[in-house]
């Protein structure tokens, strides 16, 4: 099945609705097809533009979904509108709900130990139909490959990798050859929300497309990330002129 894509500064975003994306990924899992998904926002796009190795990693993914209203804005600027925002958090929760019905096996990787442990406990409590086959915090030695070997041995249907970008995508691609099946998705701060460590922006802020501002109010240390947005818009505008 062919899909429509929108290229934003070298990153090919799939142009699909949330429901369609959920259906596509569910189909891959049901068929036990190994799949790599990147949830990308403007910050990730800008980082990829400046770091070619990381850009290649992003481009190697089966799907890059638009996690951020800034991506939708950029697509509109390019006169190639994207149907809908597909956030990593919403996609994760939707897949957990589907996995709860189908008894999927899930592995949770990343975060501080207490955050990882609480997130795992909440998944087991809220989704009793899911088989949480393993978990590991985000602090481990990449060189020995022990965590990747454990994931490969457990052969989960979904691996949620919360190491933050670019590490989560680098870990997936570095070890991808070890795995025979599974949906691998970098989910960043989603694990903090699942654990209860952080709360998602209320619907009021989401509807105003100011979720980023809510997070900034809660985490002032994120201010450097916000500075990326004007640069992102400027780069998109310049790319439009070149095209």
């Amino acid at each position: 099945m062919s899909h429509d894509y929108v290229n934003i500064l070298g990153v090919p975003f799939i142009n699909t609705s949330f429901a369609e994306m959920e259906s596509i990924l569910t189909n891959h899992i049901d068929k036990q097809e190994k799949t790599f998904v990147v949830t990308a926002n403007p910050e990730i796009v800008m980082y990829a533009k400046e770091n070619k190795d990381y850009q290649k990693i992003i481009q190697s993914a089966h799907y890059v979904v638009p996690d951020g209203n800034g991506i939708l804005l950029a697509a509109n600027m390019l006169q190639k509108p994207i149907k809908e925002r597909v956030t990593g958090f919403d996609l994760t929760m939707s897949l957990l709900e589907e996995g709860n019905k189908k008894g999927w096996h899930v592995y949770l990787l990343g975060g501080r130990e207490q955050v990882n442990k609480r997130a795992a406990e909440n998944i087991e409590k809220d989704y009793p139909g899911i088989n949480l086959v393993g978990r590991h915090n985000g602090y481990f030695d990449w060189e020995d490959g022990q965590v990747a070997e454990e994931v490969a041995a457990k052969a989960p249907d979904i691996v949620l990798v919360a190491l933050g970008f670019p590490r989560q995508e680098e870990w997936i691609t570095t070890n991808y050859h070890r795995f025979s099946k599974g949906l691998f998705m970098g989910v960043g701060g989603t694990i903090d929300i699942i654990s209860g460590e952080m709360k998602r922006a209320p619907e009021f802020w989401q509807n105003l497309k100011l979720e980023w501002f809510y997070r900034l109010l809660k985490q002032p240390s994120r201010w450097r990330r916000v500075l990326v947005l004007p640069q992102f818009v400027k780069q998109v505008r310049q790319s439009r002129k070149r095209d």
Side-chain angles (χ1 to χ4, degrees), residues 59-90:
Q59 292 171 343
S60 75
H62 291 89
Y63 306 104
V64 183
V65 299
D67 185 344
N69 285 306
I71 300 301
L72 271 62
L73 171 64
N76 287 336
M77 288 172 62
L78 296 171
Q79 298 183 338
K80 298 175 182 177
I82 288 176
K83 292 180 182 177
E84 193 174 356
R85 184 181 174 206
V86 181
T87 72
F89 175 79
D90 289 329

PDB file of all heavy atoms in Angstrom, residues 59-90:
ATOM      1  N   GLN A  59      15.480   9.034   8.098  1.00  0.00           N
ATOM      2  CA  GLN A  59      15.028   8.672   6.750  1.00  0.00           C
ATOM      3  C   GLN A  59      14.911   7.163   6.564  1.00  0.00           C
ATOM      4  O   GLN A  59      14.207   6.703   5.661  1.00  0.00           O
ATOM      5  CB  GLN A  59      15.976   9.274   5.713  1.00  0.00           C
ATOM      6  CG  GLN A  59      15.911  10.795   5.632  1.00  0.00           C
ATOM      7  CD  GLN A  59      17.002  11.395   4.766  1.00  0.00           C
ATOM      8  OE1 GLN A  59      17.999  10.757   4.459  1.00  0.00           O
ATOM      9  NE2 GLN A  59      16.827  12.660   4.375  1.00  0.00           N
ATOM     10  N   SER A  60      15.598   6.391   7.412  1.00  0.00           N
ATOM     11  CA  SER A  60      15.536   4.928   7.305  1.00  0.00           C
ATOM     12  C   SER A  60      14.297   4.341   7.979  1.00  0.00           C
ATOM     13  O   SER A  60      13.986   3.163   7.806  1.00  0.00           O
ATOM     14  CB  SER A  60      16.791   4.299   7.936  1.00  0.00           C
ATOM     15  OG  SER A  60      16.734   4.350   9.356  1.00  0.00           O
ATOM     16  N   ALA A  61      13.590   5.155   8.765  1.00  0.00           N
ATOM     17  CA  ALA A  61      12.392   4.669   9.456  1.00  0.00           C
ATOM     18  C   ALA A  61      11.295   4.324   8.454  1.00  0.00           C
ATOM     19  O   ALA A  61      11.216   4.917   7.373  1.00  0.00           O
ATOM     20  CB  ALA A  61      11.892   5.727  10.434  1.00  0.00           C
ATOM     21  N   HIS A  62      10.457   3.378   8.831  1.00  0.00           N
ATOM     22  CA  HIS A  62       9.323   3.044   7.972  1.00  0.00           C
ATOM     23  C   HIS A  62       8.328   4.211   7.927  1.00  0.00           C
ATOM     24  O   HIS A  62       7.756   4.500   6.877  1.00  0.00           O
ATOM     25  CB  HIS A  62       8.618   1.792   8.498  1.00  0.00           C
ATOM     26  CG  HIS A  62       9.423   0.542   8.342  1.00  0.00           C
ATOM     27  ND1 HIS A  62      10.302   0.105   9.301  1.00  0.00           N
ATOM     28  CD2 HIS A  62       9.497  -0.354   7.326  1.00  0.00           C
ATOM     29  CE1 HIS A  62      10.885  -1.022   8.893  1.00  0.00           C
ATOM     30  NE2 HIS A  62      10.419  -1.314   7.702  1.00  0.00           N
ATOM     31  N   TYR A  63       8.137   4.844   9.092  1.00  0.00           N
ATOM     32  CA  TYR A  63       7.188   5.953   9.165  1.00  0.00           C
ATOM     33  C   TYR A  63       7.730   7.038  10.092  1.00  0.00           C
ATOM     34  O   TYR A  63       8.216   6.751  11.186  1.00  0.00           O
ATOM     35  CB  TYR A  63       5.828   5.488   9.702  1.00  0.00           C
ATOM     36  CG  TYR A  63       5.239   4.325   8.941  1.00  0.00           C
ATOM     37  CD1 TYR A  63       5.276   3.042   9.468  1.00  0.00           C
ATOM     38  CD2 TYR A  63       4.668   4.505   7.681  1.00  0.00           C
ATOM     39  CE1 TYR A  63       4.751   1.962   8.772  1.00  0.00           C
ATOM     40  CE2 TYR A  63       4.133   3.439   6.977  1.00  0.00           C
ATOM     41  CZ  TYR A  63       4.181   2.161   7.521  1.00  0.00           C
ATOM     42  OH  TYR A  63       3.670   1.108   6.824  1.00  0.00           O
ATOM     43  N   VAL A  64       7.606   8.287   9.638  1.00  0.00           N
ATOM     44  CA  VAL A  64       7.859   9.435  10.502  1.00  0.00           C
ATOM     45  C   VAL A  64       6.523  10.155  10.647  1.00  0.00           C
ATOM     46  O   VAL A  64       5.937  10.596   9.649  1.00  0.00           O
ATOM     47  CB  VAL A  64       8.907  10.399   9.907  1.00  0.00           C
ATOM     48  CG1 VAL A  64       9.174  11.547  10.886  1.00  0.00           C
ATOM     49  CG2 VAL A  64      10.194   9.659   9.573  1.00  0.00           C
ATOM     50  N   VAL A  65       6.029  10.255  11.878  1.00  0.00           N
ATOM     51  CA  VAL A  65       4.717  10.864  12.088  1.00  0.00           C
ATOM     52  C   VAL A  65       4.878  12.283  12.647  1.00  0.00           C
ATOM     53  O   VAL A  65       5.856  12.576  13.343  1.00  0.00           O
ATOM     54  CB  VAL A  65       3.842  10.009  13.045  1.00  0.00           C
ATOM     55  CG1 VAL A  65       3.608   8.629  12.448  1.00  0.00           C
ATOM     56  CG2 VAL A  65       4.465   9.903  14.437  1.00  0.00           C
ATOM     57  N   PRO A  66       3.934  13.170  12.342  1.00  0.00           N
ATOM     58  CA  PRO A  66       4.035  14.583  12.744  1.00  0.00           C
ATOM     59  C   PRO A  66       3.628  14.809  14.193  1.00  0.00           C
ATOM     60  O   PRO A  66       2.455  15.024  14.491  1.00  0.00           O
ATOM     61  CB  PRO A  66       3.080  15.285  11.767  1.00  0.00           C
ATOM     62  CG  PRO A  66       2.055  14.250  11.438  1.00  0.00           C
ATOM     63  CD  PRO A  66       2.756  12.930  11.478  1.00  0.00           C
ATOM     64  N   ASP A  67       4.595  14.781  15.083  1.00  0.00           N
ATOM     65  CA  ASP A  67       4.347  15.011  16.504  1.00  0.00           C
ATOM     66  C   ASP A  67       4.671  16.468  16.813  1.00  0.00           C
ATOM     67  O   ASP A  67       5.786  16.807  17.198  1.00  0.00           O
ATOM     68  CB  ASP A  67       5.225  14.073  17.336  1.00  0.00           C
ATOM     69  CG  ASP A  67       4.934  14.156  18.822  1.00  0.00           C
ATOM     70  OD1 ASP A  67       4.282  15.131  19.240  1.00  0.00           O
ATOM     71  OD2 ASP A  67       5.358  13.272  19.560  1.00  0.00           O
ATOM     72  N   GLY A  68       3.700  17.336  16.631  1.00  0.00           N
ATOM     73  CA  GLY A  68       3.926  18.754  16.892  1.00  0.00           C
ATOM     74  C   GLY A  68       3.153  19.613  15.912  1.00  0.00           C
ATOM     75  O   GLY A  68       3.159  19.348  14.703  1.00  0.00           O
ATOM     76  N   ASN A  69       2.473  20.631  16.438  1.00  0.00           N
ATOM     77  CA  ASN A  69       1.705  21.522  15.564  1.00  0.00           C
ATOM     78  C   ASN A  69       2.616  22.305  14.624  1.00  0.00           C
ATOM     79  O   ASN A  69       2.181  22.749  13.562  1.00  0.00           O
ATOM     80  CB  ASN A  69       0.865  22.480  16.416  1.00  0.00           C
ATOM     81  CG  ASN A  69      -0.344  21.785  17.028  1.00  0.00           C
ATOM     82  OD1 ASN A  69      -1.127  21.169  16.330  1.00  0.00           O
ATOM     83  ND2 ASN A  69      -0.479  21.887  18.342  1.00  0.00           N
ATOM     84  N   GLY A  70       3.888  22.466  15.017  1.00  0.00           N
ATOM     85  CA  GLY A  70       4.834  23.153  14.151  1.00  0.00           C
ATOM     86  C   GLY A  70       5.031  22.433  12.829  1.00  0.00           C
ATOM     87  O   GLY A  70       5.278  23.063  11.790  1.00  0.00           O
ATOM     88  N   ILE A  71       4.920  21.115  12.846  1.00  0.00           N
ATOM     89  CA  ILE A  71       5.054  20.329  11.609  1.00  0.00           C
ATOM     90  C   ILE A  71       3.864  20.596  10.698  1.00  0.00           C
ATOM     91  O   ILE A  71       4.017  20.751   9.478  1.00  0.00           O
ATOM     92  CB  ILE A  71       5.166  18.825  11.934  1.00  0.00           C
ATOM     93  CG1 ILE A  71       6.394  18.538  12.814  1.00  0.00           C
ATOM     94  CG2 ILE A  71       5.224  18.009  10.646  1.00  0.00           C
ATOM     95  CD1 ILE A  71       7.717  18.942  12.210  1.00  0.00           C
ATOM     96  N   LEU A  72       2.664  20.671  11.279  1.00  0.00           N
ATOM     97  CA  LEU A  72       1.477  20.966  10.482  1.00  0.00           C
ATOM     98  C   LEU A  72       1.553  22.373   9.895  1.00  0.00           C
ATOM     99  O   LEU A  72       1.176  22.600   8.731  1.00  0.00           O
ATOM    100  CB  LEU A  72       0.213  20.815  11.334  1.00  0.00           C
ATOM    101  CG  LEU A  72      -0.417  19.414  11.360  1.00  0.00           C
ATOM    102  CD1 LEU A  72       0.536  18.387  11.962  1.00  0.00           C
ATOM    103  CD2 LEU A  72      -1.724  19.425  12.144  1.00  0.00           C
ATOM    104  N   LEU A  73       2.069  23.307  10.685  1.00  0.00           N
ATOM    105  CA  LEU A  73       2.255  24.675  10.197  1.00  0.00           C
ATOM    106  C   LEU A  73       3.216  24.703   9.017  1.00  0.00           C
ATOM    107  O   LEU A  73       2.954  25.365   7.995  1.00  0.00           O
ATOM    108  CB  LEU A  73       2.786  25.556  11.333  1.00  0.00           C
ATOM    109  CG  LEU A  73       3.232  26.975  10.937  1.00  0.00           C
ATOM    110  CD1 LEU A  73       2.053  27.789  10.432  1.00  0.00           C
ATOM    111  CD2 LEU A  73       3.906  27.674  12.127  1.00  0.00           C
ATOM    112  N   ALA A  74       4.324  23.979   9.147  1.00  0.00           N
ATOM    113  CA  ALA A  74       5.318  23.934   8.073  1.00  0.00           C
ATOM    114  C   ALA A  74       4.724  23.333   6.803  1.00  0.00           C
ATOM    115  O   ALA A  74       4.972  23.827   5.691  1.00  0.00           O
ATOM    116  CB  ALA A  74       6.532  23.117   8.519  1.00  0.00           C
ATOM    117  N   ALA A  75       3.957  22.274   6.952  1.00  0.00           N
ATOM    118  CA  ALA A  75       3.326  21.636   5.790  1.00  0.00           C
ATOM    119  C   ALA A  75       2.379  22.619   5.089  1.00  0.00           C
ATOM    120  O   ALA A  75       2.329  22.670   3.853  1.00  0.00           O
ATOM    121  CB  ALA A  75       2.571  20.382   6.224  1.00  0.00           C
ATOM    122  N   ASN A  76       1.642  23.391   5.872  1.00  0.00           N
ATOM    123  CA  ASN A  76       0.747  24.397   5.279  1.00  0.00           C
ATOM    124  C   ASN A  76       1.542  25.475   4.550  1.00  0.00           C
ATOM    125  O   ASN A  76       1.141  25.945   3.481  1.00  0.00           O
ATOM    126  CB  ASN A  76      -0.117  25.035   6.371  1.00  0.00           C
ATOM    127  CG  ASN A  76      -1.206  24.095   6.871  1.00  0.00           C
ATOM    128  OD1 ASN A  76      -1.619  23.185   6.153  1.00  0.00           O
ATOM    129  ND2 ASN A  76      -1.652  24.295   8.108  1.00  0.00           N
ATOM    130  N   MET A  77       2.681  25.856   5.134  1.00  0.00           N
ATOM    131  CA  MET A  77       3.540  26.846   4.489  1.00  0.00           C
ATOM    132  C   MET A  77       4.040  26.340   3.141  1.00  0.00           C
ATOM    133  O   MET A  77       4.210  27.112   2.191  1.00  0.00           O
ATOM    134  CB  MET A  77       4.725  27.187   5.390  1.00  0.00           C
ATOM    135  CG  MET A  77       4.360  28.012   6.613  1.00  0.00           C
ATOM    136  SD  MET A  77       5.769  28.167   7.749  1.00  0.00           S
ATOM    137  CE  MET A  77       6.951  29.026   6.712  1.00  0.00           C
ATOM    138  N   LEU A  78       4.276  25.053   3.065  1.00  0.00           N
ATOM    139  CA  LEU A  78       4.761  24.439   1.826  1.00  0.00           C
ATOM    140  C   LEU A  78       3.612  24.123   0.862  1.00  0.00           C
ATOM    141  O   LEU A  78       3.840  23.558  -0.202  1.00  0.00           O
ATOM    142  CB  LEU A  78       5.533  23.154   2.152  1.00  0.00           C
ATOM    143  CG  LEU A  78       6.821  23.334   2.964  1.00  0.00           C
ATOM    144  CD1 LEU A  78       7.371  21.976   3.414  1.00  0.00           C
ATOM    145  CD2 LEU A  78       7.867  24.088   2.155  1.00  0.00           C
ATOM    146  N   GLN A  79       2.399  24.460   1.294  1.00  0.00           N
ATOM    147  CA  GLN A  79       1.176  24.196   0.522  1.00  0.00           C
ATOM    148  C   GLN A  79       0.992  22.700   0.260  1.00  0.00           C
ATOM    149  O   GLN A  79       0.505  22.283  -0.792  1.00  0.00           O
ATOM    150  CB  GLN A  79       1.189  24.989  -0.789  1.00  0.00           C
ATOM    151  CG  GLN A  79       1.217  26.498  -0.553  1.00  0.00           C
ATOM    152  CD  GLN A  79       1.151  27.305  -1.834  1.00  0.00           C
ATOM    153  OE1 GLN A  79       1.486  26.818  -2.913  1.00  0.00           O
ATOM    154  NE2 GLN A  79       0.721  28.558  -1.713  1.00  0.00           N
ATOM    155  N   LYS A  80       1.400  21.912   1.257  1.00  0.00           N
ATOM    156  CA  LYS A  80       1.210  20.463   1.228  1.00  0.00           C
ATOM    157  C   LYS A  80       0.659  20.026   2.577  1.00  0.00           C
ATOM    158  O   LYS A  80       1.338  19.374   3.367  1.00  0.00           O
ATOM    159  CB  LYS A  80       2.535  19.746   0.946  1.00  0.00           C
ATOM    160  CG  LYS A  80       3.144  20.100  -0.400  1.00  0.00           C
ATOM    161  CD  LYS A  80       4.504  19.463  -0.567  1.00  0.00           C
ATOM    162  CE  LYS A  80       5.134  19.862  -1.903  1.00  0.00           C
ATOM    163  NZ  LYS A  80       6.504  19.308  -2.052  1.00  0.00           N
ATOM    164  N   PRO A  81      -0.570  20.430   2.890  1.00  0.00           N
ATOM    165  CA  PRO A  81      -1.110  20.212   4.234  1.00  0.00           C
ATOM    166  C   PRO A  81      -1.135  18.739   4.661  1.00  0.00           C
ATOM    167  O   PRO A  81      -1.406  17.859   3.856  1.00  0.00           O
ATOM    168  CB  PRO A  81      -2.533  20.788   4.158  1.00  0.00           C
ATOM    169  CG  PRO A  81      -2.820  20.972   2.707  1.00  0.00           C
ATOM    170  CD  PRO A  81      -1.531  21.092   1.996  1.00  0.00           C
ATOM    171  N   ILE A  82      -0.796  18.539   5.919  1.00  0.00           N
ATOM    172  CA  ILE A  82      -0.852  17.205   6.529  1.00  0.00           C
ATOM    173  C   ILE A  82      -2.204  17.050   7.202  1.00  0.00           C
ATOM    174  O   ILE A  82      -2.696  17.973   7.864  1.00  0.00           O
ATOM    175  CB  ILE A  82       0.304  17.016   7.535  1.00  0.00           C
ATOM    176  CG1 ILE A  82       1.628  16.870   6.770  1.00  0.00           C
ATOM    177  CG2 ILE A  82       0.073  15.820   8.437  1.00  0.00           C
ATOM    178  CD1 ILE A  82       2.857  16.762   7.661  1.00  0.00           C
ATOM    179  N   LYS A  83      -2.814  15.885   7.050  1.00  0.00           N
ATOM    180  CA  LYS A  83      -4.190  15.666   7.505  1.00  0.00           C
ATOM    181  C   LYS A  83      -4.384  15.927   8.989  1.00  0.00           C
ATOM    182  O   LYS A  83      -5.351  16.547   9.407  1.00  0.00           O
ATOM    183  CB  LYS A  83      -4.617  14.226   7.186  1.00  0.00           C
ATOM    184  CG  LYS A  83      -4.776  13.927   5.718  1.00  0.00           C
ATOM    185  CD  LYS A  83      -5.193  12.477   5.520  1.00  0.00           C
ATOM    186  CE  LYS A  83      -5.300  12.143   4.040  1.00  0.00           C
ATOM    187  NZ  LYS A  83      -5.644  10.708   3.826  1.00  0.00           N
ATOM    188  N   GLU A  84      -3.444  15.416   9.802  1.00  0.00           N
ATOM    189  CA  GLU A  84      -3.693  15.446  11.238  1.00  0.00           C
ATOM    190  C   GLU A  84      -2.393  15.257  12.016  1.00  0.00           C
ATOM    191  O   GLU A  84      -1.472  14.581  11.547  1.00  0.00           O
ATOM    192  CB  GLU A  84      -4.672  14.314  11.598  1.00  0.00           C
ATOM    193  CG  GLU A  84      -5.272  14.393  12.970  1.00  0.00           C
ATOM    194  CD  GLU A  84      -6.339  13.309  13.183  1.00  0.00           C
ATOM    195  OE1 GLU A  84      -6.651  12.549  12.231  1.00  0.00           O
ATOM    196  OE2 GLU A  84      -6.853  13.244  14.313  1.00  0.00           O
ATOM    197  N   ARG A  85      -2.330  15.861  13.172  1.00  0.00           N
ATOM    198  CA  ARG A  85      -1.205  15.645  14.076  1.00  0.00           C
ATOM    199  C   ARG A  85      -1.293  14.241  14.662  1.00  0.00           C
ATOM    200  O   ARG A  85      -2.373  13.782  15.066  1.00  0.00           O
ATOM    201  CB  ARG A  85      -1.270  16.691  15.185  1.00  0.00           C
ATOM    202  CG  ARG A  85      -0.107  16.660  16.155  1.00  0.00           C
ATOM    203  CD  ARG A  85      -0.306  17.728  17.214  1.00  0.00           C
ATOM    204  NE  ARG A  85       0.711  17.651  18.248  1.00  0.00           N
ATOM    205  CZ  ARG A  85       0.537  18.071  19.488  1.00  0.00           C
ATOM    206  NH1 ARG A  85      -0.618  18.569  19.855  1.00  0.00           N
ATOM    207  NH2 ARG A  85       1.506  17.971  20.360  1.00  0.00           N
ATOM    208  N   VAL A  86      -0.163  13.556  14.707  1.00  0.00           N
ATOM    209  CA  VAL A  86      -0.112  12.197  15.277  1.00  0.00           C
ATOM    210  C   VAL A  86       0.968  12.206  16.356  1.00  0.00           C
ATOM    211  O   VAL A  86       2.151  12.047  16.069  1.00  0.00           O
ATOM    212  CB  VAL A  86       0.214  11.144  14.195  1.00  0.00           C
ATOM    213  CG1 VAL A  86       0.241   9.744  14.817  1.00  0.00           C
ATOM    214  CG2 VAL A  86      -0.805  11.198  13.058  1.00  0.00           C
ATOM    215  N   THR A  87       0.574  12.435  17.591  1.00  0.00           N
ATOM    216  CA  THR A  87       1.563  12.555  18.656  1.00  0.00           C
ATOM    217  C   THR A  87       2.028  11.187  19.133  1.00  0.00           C
ATOM    218  O   THR A  87       1.276  10.211  19.103  1.00  0.00           O
ATOM    219  CB  THR A  87       1.008  13.326  19.871  1.00  0.00           C
ATOM    220  OG1 THR A  87       0.066  12.501  20.554  1.00  0.00           O
ATOM    221  CG2 THR A  87       0.348  14.619  19.441  1.00  0.00           C
ATOM    222  N   GLY A  88       3.266  11.149  19.599  1.00  0.00           N
ATOM    223  CA  GLY A  88       3.811   9.903  20.134  1.00  0.00           C
ATOM    224  C   GLY A  88       3.026   9.412  21.327  1.00  0.00           C
ATOM    225  O   GLY A  88       2.800   8.209  21.489  1.00  0.00           O
ATOM    226  N   PHE A  89       2.583  10.353  22.174  1.00  0.00           N
ATOM    227  CA  PHE A  89       1.818   9.960  23.359  1.00  0.00           C
ATOM    228  C   PHE A  89       0.494   9.314  22.958  1.00  0.00           C
ATOM    229  O   PHE A  89       0.153   8.221  23.425  1.00  0.00           O
ATOM    230  CB  PHE A  89       1.553  11.174  24.259  1.00  0.00           C
ATOM    231  CG  PHE A  89       0.680  10.859  25.431  1.00  0.00           C
ATOM    232  CD1 PHE A  89       1.196  10.226  26.551  1.00  0.00           C
ATOM    233  CD2 PHE A  89      -0.675  11.164  25.407  1.00  0.00           C
ATOM    234  CE1 PHE A  89       0.379   9.913  27.636  1.00  0.00           C
ATOM    235  CE2 PHE A  89      -1.496  10.854  26.480  1.00  0.00           C
ATOM    236  CZ  PHE A  89      -0.965  10.228  27.601  1.00  0.00           C
ATOM    237  N   ASP A  90      -0.261   9.987  22.093  1.00  0.00           N
ATOM    238  CA  ASP A  90      -1.566   9.450  21.684  1.00  0.00           C
ATOM    239  C   ASP A  90      -1.415   8.118  20.968  1.00  0.00           C
ATOM    240  O   ASP A  90      -2.223   7.201  21.163  1.00  0.00           O
ATOM    241  CB  ASP A  90      -2.289  10.454  20.784  1.00  0.00           C
ATOM    242  CG  ASP A  90      -2.763  11.678  21.549  1.00  0.00           C
ATOM    243  OD1 ASP A  90      -3.069  11.547  22.740  1.00  0.00           O
ATOM    244  OD2 ASP A  90      -2.812  12.767  20.945  1.00  0.00           O
TER     245      ASP A  90
END
